[in-house]
Amino acid sequence: MSCLTPRIMPSTMPARAGLGFKPEHFADIAEGWPDLGFLEVHAENYFGEGGPPHAMLAALAERYPLSLHGVGLSIGGSAPLDQNHLARLKRLHDRYRPALFSEHLAWSSHGEVFLDDLLPLPYTEATLKTVAEHVDQVQAALGRTMLLENPSTYVTFAESTIPEVEFLAEVARRSGCGLLLDVNNVFVSATNHATSAKTYLDGFPLHAVGEIHLGGHLSSADETGAALLIDAHDRPVADPVWTLYERVIARAGPRPTLIEWDNDVPAFAVLLAEAGRAEAILDRYRLRSRPGRRKAA
């Protein structure tokens, strides 16, 4: 497979902070239409053809850029992509024409069994070829460049021969896709595997990053007492993750940044405060990158 050029529909997403939309917050949003950079939804929640979900999403799409985030394509699986799933995704994409579409470097189905999780895969030449081909198929179906997200992991594979950062960079090179950098996932995985999150981020191909995710994690311990973090999306972003995020923005410049909070969803004001914290960091580096000002080192 040769390196492909980016496809049609370049991103129109502003480099601002956005939120994952939850239906229980629609009334709060519609009451004042707050100044948000964008909203993101899980694509599979809108595979139906109508009803209240689409009524709300259509109203939001009139006022905010949308990011579609897929959770069910099983791009890292060894089996061919589910063509029915891909067709439903295309219908949704064509209906709303989102500014961004992203999926996970993971697998979540086997045969007719669909698993309620995003599972890791070994980083080998064989899986690299499969993932790059699957990404290319998605991009061909949608007629646009997609973003691929780095995972949170709890185990590693003995057969892996390619470091994760190199694996993602090579998928992007072969397929022409962009990357979604989940900073919390980096911190979770680095803690679980006793590696350096800073080293991981220093080697990440930031030029390919089209969106950043920030979320909360649960702190626990394994059977040996070692730290074990779970990517729970059920609490505020932790301070060490904010520190890593600012490190990324200092190097890469402002990028669209999503606050993820999918479980134990709080009041809308809490999410707005988290988005405001990200927006403040983005604003700080926007000022530094303006003409006449020195950029951050």
Side-chain angles (χ1 to χ4, degrees):
M1 181 180 297
S2 60
C3 179
L4 301 178
T5 57
R7 300 178 182 276
I8 63 171
M9 290 185 63
S11 172
T12 56
M13 184 70 77
R16 296 192 55 203
L19 292 175
F21 170 65
K22 297 295 179 285
E24 57 263 43
H25 292 149
F26 181 77
D28 293 304
I29 296 172
E31 182 178 3
W33 301 113
D35 182 23
L36 288 168
F38 65 100
L39 292 171
E40 184 165 286
V41 297
H42 288 171
E44 288 78 5
N45 290 339
Y46 297 87
F47 274 5
E49 294 300 324
H54 282 286
M56 287 187 283
L57 191 57
L60 296 170
E62 291 180 357
R63 294 166 175 85
Y64 300 104
L66 291 183
S67 178
L68 290 184
H69 190 50
V71 296
L73 271 173
S74 199
I75 278 180
S78 59
L81 294 179
D82 184 329
Q83 293 303 305
N84 179 59
H85 188 106
L86 190 54
R88 297 173 76 185
L89 177 62
K90 177 172 172 53
R91 286 197 297 272
L92 180 66
H93 177 276
D94 291 348
R95 182 171 183 173
Y96 290 102
R97 311 301 283 179
L100 292 174
F101 171 71
S102 56
E103 249 286 1
H104 300 81
L105 179 61
W107 62 279
S108 55
S109 62
H110 182 70
E112 298 299 317
V113 178
F114 293 85
L115 306 168
D116 190 23
D117 208 344
L118 296 166
L119 300 170
L121 56 150
Y123 299 137
T124 66
E125 288 294 337
T127 54
L128 175 59
K129 181 175 183 292
T130 297
V131 170
E133 289 176 349
H134 285 173
V135 168
D136 195 42
Q137 289 170 31
V138 175
Q139 293 182 139
L142 300 183
R144 67 165 308 149
T145 302
M146 65 168 284
L147 306 179
L148 188 65
E149 179 181 349
N150 60 293
S152 58
T153 57
Y154 311 94
V155 297
T156 57
F157 292 87
E159 60 264 45
S160 290
T161 57
I162 307 171
E164 183 174 281
V165 166
E166 293 180 18
F167 190 97
L168 284 160
E170 184 61 13
V171 172
R173 189 194 72 81
R174 293 189 188 189
S175 68
C177 77
L179 299 176
L180 192 163
L181 174 58
D182 190 312
V183 180
N184 184 64
N185 286 357
V186 173
F187 183 73
V188 165
S189 298
T191 302
N192 291 342
H193 306 313
T195 58
S196 169
K198 290 181 179 179
T199 299
Y200 181 104
L201 290 171
D202 286 347
F204 203 87
L206 296 179
H207 66 276
V209 173
E211 183 180 342
I212 294 173
H213 277 187
L214 299 171
H217 58 259
L218 171 66
S219 298
S220 184
D222 65 16
E223 66 277 5
T224 69
L228 176 66
L229 304 186
I230 307 296
D231 183 34
H233 294 184
D234 64 351
R235 62 199 64 208
V237 179
D239 286 341
V241 176
W242 282 117
T243 299
L244 291 172
Y245 172 65
E246 184 154 6
R247 181 184 179 94
V248 169
I249 299 302
R251 290 182 55 218
R255 302 295 167 94
T257 301
L258 179 82
I259 301 298
E260 283 192 297
W261 198 318
D262 298 320
N263 301 301
D264 297 333
V265 178
F268 186 63
V270 175
L271 296 183
L272 275 180
E274 288 284 278
R277 186 169 179 179
E279 191 76 18
I281 293 171
L282 293 169
D283 281 344
R284 190 152 61 245
Y285 288 92
R286 258 190 287 272
L287 288 171
R288 295 189 187 188
S289 62
R290 285 179 181 172
R293 293 178 179 267
R294 294 182 62 188
K295 294 186 71 173

